[in-house]
Amino acid sequence: MSGKIHAAITGVGKYAPEKVLTNADLEKMVDTSDEWIRTRTGIRERRIAAPDEFTSDMGLRAAREALAQARVAPEAVEAIFVATCTPDRIFPSTACLIQAALGAKRAYGFDISSACAGFLMALDAAAGAVESGRVRNALVIGAEKLSAATDWTSRNTCVLFGDGAGAVVLQAADRPGIRSTLLGVDGTLADFLSIPAGGCRLPASEETVRQRLHCMHMAGRETFKIAVATMLEAAQQAIARAGLTVADIDCMVPHQANMRIVEAVAKRLGDGVLERVFINLDRYGNTSAASIPIALAEAVAAGKIASGSKVLMVAFGGGLSWGGTVVEWL
Ligand code: COA
């Protein structure tokens, strides 16, 4: 035994709001069709949070489920990292709001803003804290109320996104659960995918509201191409860094943005990979930072991930930012 501290996922949880918005519902709101949305994206429906339900509420529900599965009491939680691009407020952080609601009195925490790649960035930050010995456990949450940042008059974007939350508990372990991580950003492409207003560059005004600059704006076609290339690269490098080959991966849990992106990445990774991909984007759409942990929780519940499974998570999003992580389920 080297005595080195490793980090392992010991609990997963998710929360999806009750309200379902189908493609047929969207047909009544913008000039689109169920057929267009399904064939271009694979999405059939998405969840929409209630007006009085916020990112921290959803993150809290997912966190409680993950803690229960890991058998860690809220009072024992030492760190809370929340990946979100739709925080309740700019500050205090959503992590602080969840810490208070959980009663996690010993925990510190903060939010990580890295859009759809945020969960893997947060997982890496948490793994670093656990592996260094600074904390013995950490709660990693991806939570989004994207419906609050959606331009419901724009068919280019409003068909793609949804709300929800997922969470994992990381704990110190004597062998690696988190086997490898590869993260990257390219800020020269920041304008491909952004919420332009609301920061100090463009504070809220009647004009920013009128122009819907508090909503997500996206160059869809350009984003698509870079998503495929960077997710493929991140996946290949994460697998290599873990000392594995594609054949060793039991389950791939990609960011659930678009079925065509997932298929393109899986096919380029190798034969038979697509059959090992866990998909739920048909039911949730793109939930940004929440998408991977929701899918992870559902894959575990469905028995697709169990003790000994080697899991590849791969993400891409605004920033632009991306990541690949290989995890072994202990
Ligand atoms: N319903 C019907 N038509 C639509 C539509 C909708 N919801 N959205 C766009 N269109 C139209 C466009 O206006 C365009 O019409 P035009 O040819 O008359 O101009 C046509 O469909 C094709 O648009 P295009 O953008 O070329 O379609 P696409 O095949 O690239 O698919 C996306 C669009 C958004 C589905 C696709 O680009 C995509 O998935 N991109 C990545 C987005 C993403 O996942 N981002 C998040 C990453 S984390």
Side-chain angles (χ1 to χ4, degrees):
M1 288 293 289
S2 65
K4 188 175 176 328
I5 305 170
H6 299 279
I9 295 176
T10 55
V12 290
K14 64 142 207 206
Y15 172 73
E18 232 170 80
K19 183 180 168 186
V20 175
L21 186 73
T22 65
N23 291 349
D25 295 328
L26 283 164
E27 285 177 353
K28 295 176 203 135
M29 297 161 65
V30 289
D31 181 15
T32 190
S33 67
D34 172 51
E35 206 259 334
W36 192 96
I37 301 171
R38 270 191 296 104
T39 53
R40 302 290 177 122
T41 72
I43 301 166
R44 291 171 183 272
E45 58 187 43
R46 65 289 290 144
R47 300 299 181 92
I48 303 294
D52 62 350
E53 187 172 46
F54 305 107
T55 297
S56 64
D57 301 314
M58 294 187 277
L60 175 69
R61 306 271 295 251
R64 283 200 170 124
E65 201 174 282
L67 287 170
Q69 196 176 96
R71 296 198 180 87
V72 171
E75 309 80 56
V77 173
E78 296 183 23
I80 302 174
F81 301 133
V82 180
T84 184
C85 58
T86 48
D88 286 33
R89 307 180 218 170
I90 287 183
F91 81 88
S93 68
T94 313
C96 289
L97 306 178
I98 293 175
Q99 180 266 344
L102 268 179
K105 292 197 173 73
R106 296 176 60 189
Y108 75 98
F110 50 82
D111 289 1
I112 287 179
S113 167
S114 196
C116 304
F119 178 74
L120 293 188
M121 301 271 177
L123 192 64
D124 184 60
V130 170
E131 288 161 357
S132 71
R134 289 194 298 282
V135 298
R136 278 164 303 175
N137 66 51
L139 193 50
V140 186
I141 302 167
E144 301 281 10
K145 186 172 180 173
L146 294 177
S147 60
T150 297
D151 178 353
W152 291 104
T153 66
S154 166
R155 69 178 185 176
N156 291 326
T157 50
C158 78
V159 302
L160 303 175
F161 300 103
D163 300 335
V168 305
V169 175
L170 267 194
Q171 286 184 270
D174 56 13
R175 59 199 176 94
I178 308 287
R179 300 261 314 235
S180 68
T181 301
L182 183 285
L183 303 171
V185 301
D186 183 353
T188 66
L189 304 175
D191 288 336
F192 276 11
L193 195 49
S194 76
I195 297 180
C200 67
R201 183 180 291 246
L202 211 49
S205 68
E206 277 180 25
E207 192 54 22
T208 59
V209 172
R210 197 184 60 75
Q211 290 190 38
R212 303 184 200 281
L213 297 177
H214 297 276
C215 296
M216 288 174 285
H217 289 250
M218 182 181 72
R221 217 176 280 177
E222 293 79 351
T223 309
F224 191 107
K225 280 187 209 146
I226 302 169
V228 174
T230 52
M231 281 169 81
L232 180 65
E233 173 83 10
Q236 286 169 332
Q237 290 213 26
I239 292 169
R241 282 185 189 189
L244 300 172
T245 67
V246 173
D248 297 317
I249 301 299
D250 299 296
C251 184
M252 175 172 159
V253 180
H255 170 47
Q256 311 276 321
N258 181 314
M259 194 56 208
R260 289 191 299 150
I261 294 179
V262 173
E263 279 172 357
V265 174
K267 280 183 188 149
R268 285 167 173 77
L269 267 177
D271 288 341
V273 173
L274 193 54
E275 289 71 50
R276 288 176 266 151
V277 178
F278 187 82
I279 295 291
N280 64 7
L281 65 88
D282 50 326
R283 291 179 289 119
Y284 296 118
N286 180 348
T287 58
S288 193
S291 105
I292 287 183
I294 293 174
L296 206 55
E298 292 196 342
V300 171
K304 306 270 183 203
I305 297 173
S307 184
S309 296
K310 294 180 190 71
V311 181
L312 167 69
M313 297 178 272
V314 59
F316 170 86
L320 298 178
S321 56
W322 57 85
T325 303
V326 173
V327 169
E328 183 165 344
W329 227 253
L330 301 186

